[in-house]
Amino acid sequence: MNCFAIFRLPHAQECTLVRQTSGEPERLGSCTELNGRQGFVVAPFQTTEEQPIWLIRADRTEVLTQLDELACEDAWADKPAHEACEKDYANDFANFHAQIEAGNFQKIVLSRCATVSREKRVNPMRLFQQACLLYPRMFIALTALPDGTCWLTATPEILLEGTGTQWRTIALAGTMQLEGDELNGEGETARWSTKNIQEQRYVATYIADCLEQFNIAFNEEGPRTTRAANLVHLRSDFTFTLLNNARVGNLLQALHPTPAVCGLPKQSAFDFIIRHEHTPRQYYSGFMGPLALNQETHLYVSLRCMQILKGEYRLYAGGGLLKDSLAEQEWQETEAKMQTMRRLLDETAAHA
């Protein structure tokens, strides 16, 4: 099939279309294989034979200011559903939270999936266009993969980006929903709970440790409140210099998945999620973006994302669990996060 990706950086006025005009995107088995490579990357939470890291070759790139519809009709597929209802989520929560109380994890992230059906199909490009209008602060990307699926993300979380030798990553965690007059600002009035502050600190400490492992000197700024759609998060920025970009894949291997989407200790939390989470994550909480295109890299964690299938849309969201987490509050947090894509579907249908 005709694989492509189109993306828009936060606050940008133009989009970039990346097309592979022949053959299938390259299948990679680990982030280290991205060393010295170029293209558009789509990586899953867990890399497997069925869900590899895809590297879409940039045979043709176009910078677009006026978006026309792409012919995406062939990019719909049927996939088995694994949707977590509130009862399933409650069971998962009890299982995950018991591990924290037993001292096995400091933090672990629990996610779920919800399916939204629509009688009338909407071209994925229309969804991309509307996402760009609704969410100017976020990285918007739409990609068509060889398995016949499209994935759309509107995410605030940078995994790794850089131009030349200047690079940065961020620690983004903690979530609060804006309501009423708060939606007119950037979250200046947010008052963060101890749980949210602690959750963000776990992520920041992990990123600092990763950079130190590579003997990378860095500057950390934050945390500060940052807005993404109707939510705000706590964010710390890490800036540093990479003289040898050939090691980017190694750094990605160390960073991904961060505790913001996985947990601590990382490997044991990752293994537990794979074995016990009700909903397979697929490409949710992986990462995507351009790698070394025009000497720029912008890789973002695939949050606030959905999988586009025949007649339905699978929305994904998750949240970090700590000792004082409560099931109902965590469920509501996933509902608030899914509202980013629910609103997008509603707004696109209204303007169809």
Side-chain angles (χ1 to χ4, degrees):
M1 65 170 291
N2 185 17
C3 296
F4 73 89
I6 186 168
F7 66 92
R8 193 225 51 202
L9 296 175
H11 303 291
Q13 298 301 310
E14 69 269 350
C15 307
T16 301
L17 173 65
V18 179
R19 282 191 183 274
Q20 179 164 332
T21 57
S22 63
E24 185 177 270
E26 193 168 357
R27 303 167 63 100
L28 305 179
S30 73
C31 292
T32 56
E33 295 179 51
L34 291 170
N35 283 335
R37 308 304 290 274
Q38 183 184 55
F40 190 94
V41 180
V42 185
F45 177 69
Q46 178 196 26
T47 303
T48 65
E49 183 65 27
E50 291 185 348
Q51 291 166 190
I53 298 171
W54 292 108
L55 182 61
I56 300 174
R57 190 175 65 243
D59 293 335
R60 193 174 81 197
T61 62
E62 300 175 51
V63 176
L64 306 175
T65 54
Q66 297 293 325
L67 294 179
D68 296 320
E69 288 190 10
L70 293 175
C72 305
E73 285 80 0
D74 62 342
W76 276 292
D78 288 312
K79 295 287 179 180
H82 298 276
E83 183 171 352
C85 66
E86 191 164 2
K87 181 179 178 182
D88 295 325
Y89 182 85
N91 290 336
D92 279 358
F93 178 91
N95 189 16
F96 279 50
H97 196 256
Q99 297 295 314
I100 297 175
E101 291 183 318
N104 295 328
F105 306 120
Q106 296 167 277
K107 169 191 174 178
I108 191 166
V109 175
L110 173 60
S111 72
R112 68 180 183 93
C113 170
T115 299
V116 177
S117 297
R118 288 286 189 271
E119 291 184 6
K120 183 180 178 181
R121 291 189 204 171
V122 179
N123 189 298
M125 180 53 70
R126 286 188 180 274
L127 292 168
F128 176 83
Q129 290 174 302
Q130 192 66 29
C132 289
L133 293 173
L134 287 177
Y135 306 123
R137 302 172 179 85
M138 301 165 85
F139 174 79
I140 313 295
L142 171 71
T143 182
L145 298 179
D147 65 359
T149 61
C150 281
W151 286 82
L152 176 66
T153 187
T155 176
E157 184 170 352
I158 299 165
L159 180 63
L160 188 64
E161 72 174 5
T163 302
T165 62
Q166 302 306 304
W167 291 76
R168 69 169 171 164
T169 183
I170 69 171
L172 191 78
T175 301
M176 290 178 61
Q177 186 170 6
L178 298 178
E179 297 177 335
D181 292 341
E182 294 174 332
L183 291 167
N184 296 323
E186 296 297 318
E188 303 90 342
T189 60
R191 296 293 180 265
W192 293 98
S193 67
T194 301
K195 185 259 186 187
N196 279 305
I197 294 170
Q198 184 180 25
E199 184 182 349
Q200 196 272 344
R201 193 63 242 161
Y202 281 147
V203 181
T205 301
Y206 175 82
I207 289 174
D209 290 344
C210 284
L211 296 175
E212 288 170 355
Q213 288 174 22
F214 286 83
N215 295 317
I216 295 173
F218 60 88
N219 182 53
E220 178 182 357
E221 295 183 358
R224 60 184 174 86
T225 299
T226 185
R227 181 175 173 179
N230 64 326
L231 304 175
V232 287
H233 308 282
L234 281 170
R235 167 176 170 165
S236 296
D237 287 64
F238 296 80
T239 54
F240 51 94
T241 298
L242 277 184
L243 298 178
N244 183 3
N245 294 351
R247 291 202 304 163
V248 165
N250 296 70
L251 184 53
L252 286 169
Q253 185 76 11
L255 288 171
H256 174 67
T258 73
V261 296
C262 184
L264 288 171
K266 174 179 173 176
Q267 190 58 52
S268 58
F270 179 86
D271 293 341
F272 189 87
I273 289 168
I274 297 303
R275 291 196 307 270
H276 298 288
E277 202 166 58
H278 186 89
T279 304
R281 295 190 183 188
Q282 303 184 70
Y283 287 89
Y284 162 67
S285 68
F287 63 90
M288 66 173 69
L291 175 67
L293 288 184
N294 298 319
Q295 300 185 342
E296 292 189 17
T297 294
H298 301 278
L299 301 176
Y300 280 71
V301 182
S302 301
L303 305 177
R304 317 293 191 273
C305 73
M306 67 179 170
Q307 184 184 26
I308 302 171
L309 299 167
K310 286 183 179 177
E312 66 180 33
Y313 307 87
R314 299 226 182 107
L315 282 53
Y316 292 80
L321 308 187
L322 301 181
K323 274 190 175 182
D324 56 354
S325 295
L326 300 173
E328 179 59 27
Q329 290 179 1
E330 296 298 331
W331 171 268
Q332 291 303 325
E333 181 175 318
T334 62
E335 283 287 292
K337 290 174 176 176
M338 285 183 179
Q339 185 58 28
T340 299
M341 285 297 159
R342 291 187 193 277
R343 180 189 176 200
L344 173 60
L345 289 170
D346 291 342
E347 291 277 351
T348 305
H351 290 87

